Amino acid sequence: ASQDTLYDFVSALRNTGFRIAIDDYGADDSDIGRINELKPDDSCHLNGMAMRDGQPAFVTTFCSDDKPTAWRAFKGDGTVMSVADNRIIVEDLLMPHSPRWIQGWVYLYVSVHGRVWRCREDGSERTLVAELPGYTRGLDHLGSLLFVGLSLPRASEGAPRLPLLDRIDAATSGFWVVDLEQLSEVAWLMFTGD
């Protein structure tokens, strides 16, 4: 690897929106060595990011392993991580998604259960917000209203049966609205048909 390779790599990252600084950690350390260790694999399946004040604050992962495609084992070791602290604040989740930071709370859903959860920024005060009748897909809010998208489950090769299907007779697709002050469902719109 050469200095030109490093410059090309950094340029490519910057062109896709990454902000990156390559530092000198001493004469025996090599930035090219660190770059060569990067691998294009999908080990933990980082799948969602919550922003706070315009900065990445929390992320969700399907697993805590660093082996390629380890998340496909569906072991229930998914996490919520604090980006600023680089630490796990919630663990042992099965397919967590779409964290959102709303008024001091981190909201997320656990797709395979059809559940929306919240916790404080340090992972404390974990609370079930809603238990919904579909595979949760998408989360946003307006004021004190939380909007949750639901879809019908789809079969994925190697994936276990969804726990959601043990709780309900048939899954629903649509949108649910949850009042965050009362932690209650206030409206929904269901989609029917093929």
Side-chain angles (χ1 to χ4, degrees):
S2 68
Q3 195 72 11
D4 290 337
T5 303
L6 175 60
Y7 290 137
D8 290 344
F9 177 74
V10 171
S11 178
L13 288 174
R14 286 187 176 143
N15 289 337
T16 58
F18 281 88
R19 284 186 254 167
I20 187 168
I22 303 294
D23 297 319
D24 180 12
Y25 293 95
D28 295 333
D29 199 21
S30 165
D31 292 322
I32 293 294
R34 277 193 298 282
I35 290 170
N36 286 336
E37 290 175 10
L38 295 175
K39 299 176 190 85
D41 61 33
D42 185 13
S43 54
C44 67
H45 197 66
L46 187 144
N47 59 36
M49 183 180 341
M51 304 294 281
R52 181 181 53 213
D53 302 324
Q55 297 296 316
F58 301 94
V59 295
T60 51
T61 69
F62 273 14
C63 84
S64 55
D65 204 324
D66 65 351
K67 293 179 180 60
T69 67
W71 68 274
R72 291 188 180 273
F74 301 102
K75 298 184 300 189
D77 63 337
T79 67
V80 179
M81 292 184 66
S82 168
V83 173
D85 301 339
N86 191 29
R87 71 180 178 87
I88 294 172
I89 63 167
V90 180
E91 55 191 344
D92 300 326
L93 299 171
L94 183 58
M95 298 175 70
H97 266 281
S98 299
R100 299 292 182 261
W101 182 78
I102 305 169
Q103 300 171 348
W105 293 92
V106 179
Y107 288 81
L108 66 134
Y109 58 81
V110 179
S111 303
V112 298
H113 290 284
R115 294 179 180 144
V116 179
W117 292 89
R118 74 178 184 185
C119 66
R120 290 294 182 184
E121 296 179 19
D122 63 359
S124 66
E125 297 183 51
R126 195 166 155 199
T127 307
L128 179 63
V129 173
E131 194 167 47
L132 304 173
Y135 189 88
T136 45
R137 283 292 214 194
L139 195 62
D140 208 345
H141 82 287
L142 178 63
S144 65
L145 299 177
L146 185 70
F147 298 88
V148 185
L150 301 181
S151 72
L152 300 176
R154 65 174 189 247
S156 295
E157 187 176 322
R161 177 177 163 79
L162 300 181
L164 165 72
L165 300 176
D166 294 333
R167 182 172 55 81
I168 61 174
D169 292 330
T172 302
S173 63
F175 292 100
W176 255 244
V177 183
V178 177
D179 181 321
L180 296 179
E181 293 173 1
Q182 303 296 317
L183 297 184
S184 62
E185 299 168 35
V186 294
W188 54 88
L189 171 66
M190 289 188 264
F191 302 137
T192 58
D194 293 334

